[in-house]
Amino acid sequence: MTSAPDPDVAVRRMAAESLAGDDPTGWFERLYAAADDGAAVVPWDRGAPHPLLIDWLGRPDDARGQPRPAGTAVVVGCGPGFDAELLAGHGWTTTAFDVSASAVAAARRRFPDTTVRYVAADLFDPPRAWRQAFDLVVEIMTVQSLPVRLHQRATEAVAGFVAPNGTLLVVATARTGSTEPAGPTEGPPWPLTREEVEAFAVGGLTPVSVEQHDGTPPFQHWRAEFRR
């Protein structure tokens, strides 16, 4: 019996072709367009919100046990849309963007009655109105989908969305000594080191917590919270 194609192999092939053409984000549109046609699978489409986001939203905002007050939120690299819909369900006025227009169109079809504002936009060239505009910024595994040379630029762009007194939540696959080689890794993804996660504390953001959580073996994940 012939085994099913490994979706990670197809993703890495598309990414390699885009990188060879000096277009580090072009492969996202190719992948989502192919998925629309049934010719590819989006490996990170969990069919549900990320568990670390679900857990974080369920935690009180402070030691007094107060719930998190809802405000404006943006989901970076929203993909299938499940994380954005979770936020909207918790009362957040949510914007969700992806560089892939096909991903945005698919999310709108998946959630026809949504209150989320889905937008096709580039992290490296976002609308100026988004600058320090959101009470909550959620970045789940987007920076790690870019080559390491772009991590700092992407990190600074994500941090730039956080409003005064706002919060940034980062979830990423962990690159640690026990799970990753010391040298450059083949990607995507390009998992983040602790130093790369802590680098989100830029432009007035300060770290609240940096946690390491178990994921699908042998992987671990970071969940980090920052405040402006």
Side-chain angles (χ1 to χ4, degrees):
M1 179 181 296
T2 303
S3 60
D6 185 343
D8 290 333
V9 172
V11 165
R12 286 178 173 155
R13 175 179 54 78
M14 292 181 187
E17 291 169 354
S18 289
L19 290 171
D22 197 26
D23 181 13
T25 62
W27 63 275
F28 291 106
E29 173 59 22
R30 291 181 57 200
L31 174 61
Y32 280 105
D36 264 354
D37 293 337
V41 174
V42 179
W44 52 84
D45 185 346
R46 299 176 298 273
H50 197 286
L52 291 179
L53 175 60
I54 296 172
D55 177 74
W56 184 83
L57 285 172
R59 293 185 174 192
D61 189 48
D62 58 27
R64 295 171 297 170
Q66 297 297 315
R68 299 184 185 278
T72 58
V74 66
V75 178
V76 179
C78 63
F82 295 104
D83 297 322
E85 296 298 323
L86 177 68
L87 290 175
H90 278 72
W92 293 86
T93 301
T94 306
T95 297
F97 75 93
D98 202 286
V99 72
S100 166
S102 292
V104 168
R108 289 172 178 162
R109 290 194 303 270
R110 183 177 290 113
F111 304 106
D113 299 321
T114 186
T115 62
V116 175
R117 180 187 175 220
Y118 287 102
V119 182
D122 187 340
L123 175 61
F124 296 126
D125 188 23
R128 290 187 179 182
W130 292 1
R131 177 70 181 171
Q132 294 192 15
F134 298 97
D135 300 314
L136 174 63
V137 177
V138 175
E139 145 52 356
I140 298 181
M141 300 184 178
T142 300
V143 171
Q144 71 174 51
S145 69
L146 299 168
V148 174
R149 63 182 174 83
L150 294 176
H151 283 185
Q152 179 179 353
R153 184 181 170 197
T155 294
E156 292 172 354
V158 169
F161 297 135
V162 183
N165 300 312
T167 297
L168 167 63
L169 183 72
V170 176
V171 175
T173 305
R175 184 179 182 191
T176 68
S178 61
T179 61
E180 295 287 343
T185 60
E186 179 185 1
W190 291 270
L192 303 189
T193 63
R194 186 181 185 94
E195 290 75 16
E196 287 180 306
V197 172
E198 292 174 342
F200 281 93
V202 66
L205 291 179
T206 57
V208 175
S209 63
V210 178
E211 307 165 345
Q212 194 166 316
H213 294 262
D214 289 336
T216 304
F219 299 108
Q220 295 181 316
H221 292 94
W222 302 114
R223 182 175 65 188
E225 182 179 344
F226 303 85
R227 297 270 175 89
R228 189 185 297 286

